[in-house]
Amino acid sequence: MKLERETLELGADIRHAVIWLHGLGADGHDFVPIVPELGLSKEAGVRFIFPHAPSRPVTLNNGYVMPAWFDIISLDRTKNSNLDDILITVGWINTLIDEQIELGIEPENIILAGFSQGGVIALHTALRYPKRLGGLMVLSTYFPFAEQTLDEMPKGYEQIPVFAAHGTHDPVIPAVWWEEYVPKLQKQGFEVESKSYAMEHSVHPQEIADMGLWFKALFDA
């Protein structure tokens, strides 16, 4: 599937790409307003891509049709989704990555970011893509099928820098889920910049500032 998307470019000489996935029920416009708040140079040479998830019935919401990267079956994080369903969407994001590579962006200069449900897809895509990517930003999310994914992950992918943030008062995806998956990544060898903020299932001003610093470090590398 070719995903519709919003695109925002900083500068004319584009050397980096950030593919940023929204959460359940939102769309690609959701995080566009945050880009100017990151404090990046207007000539940073970055293309931000915000794809729109297709609309589909969501089981947990009584079959209500809404933008969703995959179906949510229950509130039990150990069995609230289907891996095959997730991997279909991973294939769509792989196509977006392929497009950026064809446009001249090196894989190590492509960063995947995702909020909530989008974070799940960002994790699975970055750790399964045939070439090692340059960064992974996951916000207010969790990591279903983590053990299987990490076992199947190609050697060397633990060098991908990770920014993992969560709200301490999140009623949608409790902070304990974040506290569980971050150590799994660290045990695998990932260097994770792990941050928590006094917020619910949202984005905090300090979090935006921290994201900006993390992006700058990658873009200047």
Side-chain angles (χ1 to χ4, degrees), residues 53-220:
S55 293
R56 61 181 296 171
V58 175
T59 300
L60 183 62
N61 291 342
N62 297 315
Y64 185 80
V65 175
M66 63 177 62
W69 295 114
F70 56 91
D71 190 20
I72 301 291
I73 301 168
S74 74
L75 292 174
D76 183 347
R77 69 184 183 281
T78 63
K79 51 186 176 183
N80 75 349
S81 55
N82 179 286
L83 182 57
D84 289 340
D85 190 11
I86 289 172
L87 293 182
I88 288 173
T89 303
V90 166
W92 301 340
I93 307 306
N94 284 349
T95 299
L96 278 179
I97 298 171
D98 292 343
E99 289 176 5
Q100 295 310 303
I101 294 174
E102 290 171 5
L103 290 171
I105 309 295
E106 297 294 333
E108 60 267 27
N109 288 335
I110 297 175
I111 300 166
L112 286 186
F115 175 82
S116 193
Q117 197 185 53
V120 173
I121 299 300
L123 279 159
H124 278 273
T125 304
L127 303 186
R128 294 173 182 275
Y129 190 72
K131 299 177 182 178
R132 184 167 63 84
L133 303 179
L136 174 61
M137 174 179 286
V138 281
L139 313 172
S140 302
T141 193
Y142 65 110
F143 192 3
F145 312 105
E147 288 80 6
Q148 178 180 343
T149 304
L150 292 171
D151 284 345
E152 296 173 353
M153 184 185 74
K155 187 176 180 180
Y157 279 34
E158 66 277 0
Q159 297 172 19
I160 299 174
V162 178
F163 181 94
H166 213 98
T168 55
H169 310 311
D170 193 331
V172 178
I173 299 178
V176 66
W177 297 14
W178 165 73
E179 293 168 352
E180 288 182 0
Y181 83 78
V182 167
K184 291 177 182 177
L185 292 173
Q186 293 171 328
K187 184 178 179 182
Q188 194 76 16
F190 286 91
E191 185 173 333
V192 182
E193 184 169 338
S194 184
K195 300 277 189 177
S196 63
Y197 306 90
M199 64 178 183
E200 296 190 353
H201 197 61
S202 58
V203 179
H204 192 278
Q206 183 58 52
E207 181 182 19
I208 295 173
D210 291 339
M211 287 191 287
L213 293 174
W214 186 80
F215 278 130
K216 285 179 184 178
L218 291 185
F219 299 155
D220 292 339

